[in-house]
Amino acid sequence: VLRVYKAAVQQTLDILFLTEGREFLTSTDAVSRDSADRTIIAWDFQSAAKISNQIFHERYTCPSLTLHPKESVFVAQTNGNYMALFSAQRPYRINKKKRYEGHKVEGFAVGCEFSPDGTLLVTGSSDGKVFFYNYHTARIIRTLSAHKEACVSAIFHPVLPSLLATCDWAGEIKIWQ
């Protein structure tokens, strides 16, 4: 173990290193009726200090974080049935004009990911579908009825970008082209 970081909150749901590797983000389920701070925490990698815990102010947990491959932004999947777009540079501001909506999370830890070229954002859905969004417009460009159970992950192949892997809550994994 090189370092230990203590969030002093409930469980950590996801970890995302930012491009330079000097900072990383964590998402937690530390949401209550009275407070939404600490939902996403930014950390300094070297000092283990918290840089910010006031990134996301809505009262939803964020089970998944993903970094855009070419731009300095990241997306947080929320349990509010949308994905929020943020700057990946301090002060990590949310883009209030762009939301990726239409899929359902409904309490599942649904993952999301950008295509290798950064033009698409893909996510699973609690109804078993996969949603493809145009990154720039935030519009749904395609849905795929992938599973009978909740589709909890959709991820592009790192070398063959025309391949997509999906998995569902029951453990079924599918590869799509």
Side-chain angles (χ1 to χ4, degrees):
V1 175
L2 297 175
R3 289 182 184 82
V4 176
Y5 305 80
K6 189 67 178 153
V9 294
Q10 297 168 2
Q11 72 185 51
T12 298
L13 302 173
D14 202 5
I15 301 170
L16 178 68
F17 277 100
L18 298 179
T19 304
E20 300 291 322
R22 292 187 298 260
E23 298 169 3
F24 66 94
L25 305 170
T26 58
S27 64
T28 70
D29 62 356
V31 176
S32 69
R33 285 187 320 193
D34 302 328
S35 176
D37 69 333
R38 298 172 300 174
T39 304
I40 299 174
I41 301 171
W43 299 85
D44 179 79
F45 179 71
Q46 291 295 333
S47 70
K50 290 179 195 171
I51 298 167
S52 177
N53 64 358
Q54 297 289 323
I55 297 170
F56 185 58
H57 298 284
E58 297 186 32
R59 288 175 174 81
Y60 299 113
T61 59
C62 299
S64 177
L65 305 171
T66 189
L67 189 63
H68 192 279
K70 299 186 186 287
E71 297 182 20
S72 188
V73 297
F74 73 94
V75 166
Q77 175 75 266
T78 76
N79 280 339
N81 294 325
Y82 68 92
M83 292 176 286
L85 183 67
F86 296 84
S87 168
Q89 296 177 345
R90 293 183 197 185
Y92 315 107
R93 294 192 199 279
I94 191 170
N95 183 332
K96 294 181 181 181
K97 297 178 183 176
K98 194 179 288 188
R99 271 181 142 169
Y100 302 87
E101 300 176 301
H103 65 290
K104 294 179 175 31
V105 177
E106 297 177 343
F108 289 95
V110 175
C112 57
E113 184 182 67
F114 286 102
S115 61
D117 66 1
T119 61
L120 299 174
L121 180 61
V122 65
T123 185
S125 182
S126 64
D127 59 6
K129 293 179 183 172
V130 175
F131 286 75
F132 295 84
Y133 294 86
N134 177 304
Y135 161 65
H136 295 288
T137 66
R139 290 193 178 121
I140 297 170
I141 57 173
R142 182 170 185 194
T143 58
L144 180 67
S145 294
H147 297 275
K148 292 178 184 159
E149 300 287 329
C151 180
V152 293
S153 186
I155 186 166
F156 289 96
H157 190 280
V159 178
L160 306 169
S162 65
L163 296 183
L164 181 78
T166 63
C167 66
D168 71 10
W169 186 250
E172 182 177 68
I173 301 165
K174 293 181 178 180
I175 306 295
W176 306 82
Q177 185 168 25

